[in-house]
Amino acid sequence: MTESTETSDVSQASAQASDGAPKVVQGLKDMADLVSLCKRRGFVFPSSEVYGGINACWDYGPLGIELKRNVKERWWRAMTDREDIEGIDAAILMHPRVWEASGHVAGFVDPLVDCKKCKSRFRADKIDAAALAAKKCPSCGGELTEPRQFNLMFKTFMGPVEEDAAIIYMRPETAQGIYVNFLNVQQSSRQKIPFGIAQIGKAFRNEITPGNFIFRTREFEQMEMQYFVKPGTDMEWFEKWKQMRIQWHLDNGIRKEKLRFHEHGPGELAHYARAAFDIEYEFPFGWQELEGIHNRTDFDLGRHQQYSGKKLEYFDEEAKERYVPYIVETSAGCDRTLLVALVDAYRFDGDRVWLALHPALAPYKVAVYPLMKKPELREYSEKVYASLKKHFRVTTDDAGSIGKRYRRQDEIGTPFGVTIDYDTLSNHTVTIRHRDSMVQERVSAESLVRYIEEKFESWGK
Ligand code: ATP
């Protein structure tokens, strides 16, 4: 068995393989490798693939949905295990006035330019400034049109007769469902400021230039938390949430050197925001936003008061004070967090591909294998499988050589493999193999659950 040692990204140092050749462990270089792994192993499929697919829409397969549920569960627990945060699940379709108040009808626009020659479309703010000034298409060099403003909200009709029906929008963010429920939640839960409301849900944006796999899609999920604070304490809370959010990504096992903050300068800062930082990740296609942390002041509640005519104030019983709270927002993409987990975990040593996923995110925690398809090994292995299943998500595989079976699990990020062989039958010990180091240890079948739990604990929360 060969061994490889890994450093953070493209490693120079490495252990000797058994044939003496050095093994160099690399991270993901080409998104196509990940897209193909995801399709082959059932993480992500192109949507409506039998019809040729639909641009920038993707379906999660059996392993993808497990990974996604793990991402959401970790986020949800990190938020709602706190005494000061409540959860909510608001409707996707909202009163059309919501989007006037929020500024989306007038302002949720991106500048769009078209290439007259190759017909490609670009977001003017995402292409090179020199190319834009020269009106030169970045892909074919053809002439670009003047930028046009393009609203990103999907419109639809509510009501059976299209002509009379009201135009409504598919929500482009989950946050508004939280703002309009601020008083409902506060009064029903009897929370006192400061407190937060968390929500996970779908959002829709008619993006001009979707792409890079599930990085930018037209239908996606957000994990947003809006924290309501007393004006004057907002910057303090903003700083706290910035730190807590980057720590959450680190706790998911994401490499520190691949994460950074990007502060919105005066030109980038939204009109409502007093301060905004993005948490960025270094993808193979460059540093890109993963999550936004924004100090939104009293803009949102203030606007909903104005447009609805309803007071959205908080009454502080102790201070006998009434005010419109300020909001500190943390807004992460669920699909993007999942993409970061996959990109960051991808490892290749010239021979073996594995996903070094944090065990809390891995779709399966353990795989159990009978060394051969012999009834007595199978029977033992089924018992081990059943006992582990009470504690972890477990899978089993008895097809092909043991080496091939290990590789199959490495590729989907299963942290441990447990092999039952003839020695197991006589001395009740099994081989446990570690995904990342490929180290194999012999442990008693009885102590397996404790052994795995301890390893997971040492991995970090
Ligand atoms: P951009 O400027 O890149 O379009 P944004 O600043 O508009 O993004 P936000 O509105 O702050 O993004 O959205 C919060 C989070 O939601 C983002 O950090 C990202 O993780 C996720 N997100 C936004 N748009 C998309 C999308 N089209 N596909 C997938 N995730 C998205």
Side-chain angles (χ1 to χ4, degrees):
M1 183 122 323
T2 58
E3 279 211 17
S4 42
T5 315
E6 173 205 342
T7 61
S8 70
D9 185 8
V10 188
S11 86
Q12 287 80 40
S14 68
Q16 297 284 105
S18 54
D19 60 0
K23 288 244 162 192
V24 179
V25 180
Q26 303 193 352
L28 184 70
K29 293 277 168 292
D30 185 348
M31 286 299 287
D33 293 336
L34 184 65
V35 176
S36 132
L37 186 153
C38 283
K39 163 99 200 289
R40 198 170 64 249
R41 302 309 312 274
F43 281 96
V44 182
F45 307 124
S47 171
S48 325
E49 198 185 7
V50 292
Y51 289 98
I54 168 166
N55 191 13
C57 293
W58 300 89
D59 296 341
Y60 288 91
L63 296 180
I65 186 61
E66 288 300 328
L67 174 57
K68 199 175 196 192
R69 284 166 61 99
N70 292 340
V71 166
K72 289 196 223 176
E73 179 64 14
R74 261 174 97 71
W75 185 88
W76 191 252
R77 292 266 72 90
M79 291 296 174
T80 62
D81 277 357
R82 295 170 56 108
E83 294 298 316
D84 59 349
I85 296 185
E86 304 289 342
I88 191 180
D89 182 19
I92 288 173
L93 304 177
M94 300 183 75
H95 195 288
R97 290 278 282 167
V98 166
W99 307 110
E100 290 171 31
S102 68
H104 282 83
V105 171
F108 194 51
V109 287
D110 276 338
L112 163 78
V113 288
D114 288 296
C115 173
K116 291 182 185 167
K117 194 168 154 208
C118 72
K119 310 288 175 213
S120 298
R121 294 200 138 169
F122 305 95
R123 253 172 78 172
D125 58 335
K126 296 276 175 192
I127 60 177
D128 182 63
L132 186 63
K135 292 196 180 169
K136 211 167 163 208
C137 171
S139 44
C140 79
E143 193 192 343
L144 293 176
T145 60
E146 285 295 328
R148 286 179 290 141
Q149 295 302 329
F150 176 78
N151 196 299
L152 300 184
M153 283 198 292
F154 279 99
K155 274 185 198 168
T156 186
F157 301 97
M158 188 174 257
V161 186
E162 212 172 276
E163 296 80 66
D164 316 331
I167 288 181
I168 55 163
Y169 300 97
M170 311 280 278
R171 68 179 177 200
E173 61 176 30
T174 55
Q176 301 300 326
I178 295 182
Y179 304 145
V180 298
N181 276 299
F182 158 66
L183 278 186
N184 282 339
V185 174
Q186 189 268 320
Q187 287 165 0
S188 58
S189 65
R190 302 171 63 225
Q191 283 281 1
K192 292 196 170 61
I193 275 182
F195 79 95
I197 305 177
Q199 173 167 228
I200 299 177
K202 290 257 179 174
F204 302 83
R205 296 182 187 179
N206 202 358
E207 298 279 4
I208 295 169
T209 47
N212 280 325
F213 193 28
I214 53 172
F215 175 80
R216 191 183 300 285
T217 52
R218 295 196 167 111
E219 172 180 348
F220 56 99
E221 269 184 289
Q222 290 188 311
M223 308 186 290
E224 294 197 306
M225 193 282 302
Q226 312 290 326
Y227 202 73
F228 300 85
V229 304
K230 186 171 178 176
T233 63
D234 45 310
M235 282 315 289
E236 186 190 318
W237 277 108
F238 178 73
E239 278 309 317
K240 278 191 198 162
W241 277 111
K242 250 177 72 189
Q243 296 316 323
M244 285 191 278
R245 291 309 303 150
I246 199 150
Q247 189 57 47
W248 184 79
H249 293 286
L250 293 170
D251 290 346
N252 284 341
I254 306 305
R255 289 166 295 172
K256 197 169 183 184
E257 64 276 18
K258 294 279 178 186
L259 290 169
R260 73 176 187 195
F261 279 117
H262 162 77
E263 181 174 9
H264 286 212
E268 278 172 285
L269 209 55
H271 56 286
Y272 52 77
R274 187 168 159 201
F277 275 76
D278 292 338
I279 297 176
E280 292 188 336
Y281 179 80
E282 191 180 20
F283 291 91
F285 46 89
W287 287 96
Q288 295 286 343
E289 173 179 342
L290 164 62
E291 167 159 2
I293 298 117
H294 310 126
N295 178 348
R296 302 182 62 113
T297 69
D298 59 358
F299 174 82
D300 307 282
L301 292 182
R303 291 277 286 202
H304 285 304
Q305 277 200 149
Q306 189 190 333
Y307 277 70
S308 69
K310 304 266 161 48
K311 285 248 170 286
L312 292 174
E313 289 174 339
Y314 173 77
F315 181 63
D316 182 334
E317 309 246 357
E318 274 160 37
K320 303 280 178 246
E321 232 187 312
R322 206 176 277 284
Y323 58 85
V324 176
Y326 270 33
I327 292 172
V328 174
E329 165 182 73
T330 73
S331 174
C334 171
D335 314 76
R336 221 175 262 187
T337 305
L338 180 150
L339 180 62
V340 164
L342 289 172
V343 168
D344 202 67
Y346 191 94
R347 302 284 189 282
F348 176 56
D349 68 3
D351 174 33
R352 185 172 80 109
V353 170
W354 71 104
L355 295 181
L357 285 171
H358 189 291
L361 298 182
Y364 294 114
K365 319 301 175 193
V366 197
V368 179
Y369 319 96
L371 185 64
M372 285 171 284
K373 286 184 176 172
K374 300 281 182 204
E376 57 277 30
L377 296 183
R378 270 191 169 161
E379 194 186 326
Y380 203 108
S381 146
E382 274 160 24
K383 278 191 201 144
V384 172
Y385 176 90
S387 77
L388 291 177
K389 205 165 170 66
K390 290 183 196 145
H391 304 267
F392 316 104
R393 252 189 82 81
V394 195
T395 182
T396 183
D397 184 359
D398 64 3
S401 75
I402 192 71
K404 281 211 178 101
R405 287 183 268 165
Y406 285 153
R407 297 298 163 94
R408 280 204 285 269
Q409 293 301 320
D410 288 344
E411 218 186 21
I412 62 170
T414 308
F416 291 111
V418 171
T419 307
I420 282 80
D421 57 21
Y422 278 101
D423 285 346
T424 314
L425 304 183
S426 55
N427 66 12
H428 301 289
T429 64
V430 297
T431 299
I432 184 152
R433 174 186 177 272
H434 297 235
R435 171 196 68 197
D436 300 338
S437 62
M438 295 198 289
V439 163
Q440 302 192 5
E441 288 177 89
R442 201 79 197 174
V443 302
S444 80
E446 217 182 60
S447 66
L448 257 183
V449 169
R450 195 162 17 94
Y451 177 95
I452 295 169
E453 266 168 359
E454 276 170 13
K455 292 286 175 208
F456 284 167
E457 268 164 38
S458 63
W459 222 294
K461 299 173 273 178

